[in-house]
Amino acid sequence: MKKIVPAVLSAILFSFVILSAASAADVKPVPVKKTDKCLVCGMFVSGFKNWVSEIVFRDGTYAAFDGPKDMFRYYLNLPKFNRSKKQSDIVGVFVTEYYSTKMMEAKGLFFVKGSDVMGPMGPELVPVASMEKAQSFMKDHGGKKILRFSDITMEVLQ
């Protein structure tokens, strides 16, 4: 009996870890409502379908934004905007990819800074799906730098 209890507990813990990882991988963006406001600037986001960004939390709630820059401001300074959430509560970060206009996982995309393409609040980090598309975008729109999700800091946003 003493040997069975640790084995059963280990199996339960392993199952929980596997199910948590699978459910995080299955997270999809939440369709924004007309009433959703950007939690950084206060703008209604549904009118900016080509720029909508969002963060989805483990409890099923989400935060919507009118563009990637405001999403990153929130993400990088979560305690300022939402004291009840922690980084570990985040299960998905989505932005609208420039060319396809589809919501995609932000951590897999490239972001072009300093182009002539303006978002709802002016200069924006433009998300594109590949390095080739980012380079092409820069040629067409005068971007200054290509960044990955992990490269974006508060200094980059200023």
Side-chain angles (χ1 to χ4, degrees):
M1 178 73 169
K2 288 182 182 180
K3 290 182 181 181
I4 294 174
V5 172
V8 170
L9 289 175
S10 293
I12 291 170
L13 180 60
F14 179 75
S15 297
F16 177 75
V17 169
I18 294 299
L19 289 173
S20 294
S23 63
D26 295 336
V27 173
K28 303 278 187 248
V30 178
V32 295
K33 301 179 207 97
K34 282 189 164 200
T35 56
D36 286 335
K37 288 185 179 183
C38 176
L39 296 177
V40 173
C41 71
M43 289 177 64
F44 286 102
V45 302
S46 67
F48 304 103
K49 292 192 186 314
N50 292 345
W51 293 102
V52 171
S53 302
E54 68 184 31
I55 294 174
V56 179
F57 296 100
R58 188 171 313 284
D59 65 4
T61 61
Y62 68 100
F65 308 93
D66 60 325
K69 274 180 46 182
D70 277 354
M71 182 276 299
F72 276 108
R73 284 186 180 102
Y74 182 95
Y75 178 85
L76 294 169
N77 200 358
L78 192 55
K80 174 183 176 182
F81 294 103
N82 191 338
R83 292 177 189 247
S84 68
K85 302 288 186 194
K86 297 182 255 161
Q87 288 286 327
S88 60
D89 295 327
I90 297 172
V91 294
V93 180
F94 299 95
V95 295
T96 304
E97 197 270 342
Y98 181 77
Y99 289 109
S100 69
T101 66
K102 292 181 181 174
M103 292 284 280
M104 296 182 178
E105 176 60 53
K107 292 180 181 179
L109 301 180
F110 296 82
F111 294 84
V112 180
K113 180 182 180 179
S115 76
D116 61 2
V117 173
M118 297 292 129
M121 297 283 291
E124 188 57 84
L125 294 171
V126 180
V128 292
S130 69
M131 178 58 87
E132 295 77 23
K133 287 183 180 183
Q135 291 168 336
S136 176
F137 179 89
M138 282 182 67
K139 286 179 190 170
D140 294 342
H141 298 285
K144 293 181 175 50
K145 193 168 189 179
I146 298 172
L147 303 161
R148 296 304 307 255
F149 186 93
S150 61
D151 298 328
I152 300 172
T153 62
M154 290 304 285
E155 292 78 29
V156 167
L157 298 175
Q158 295 177 2

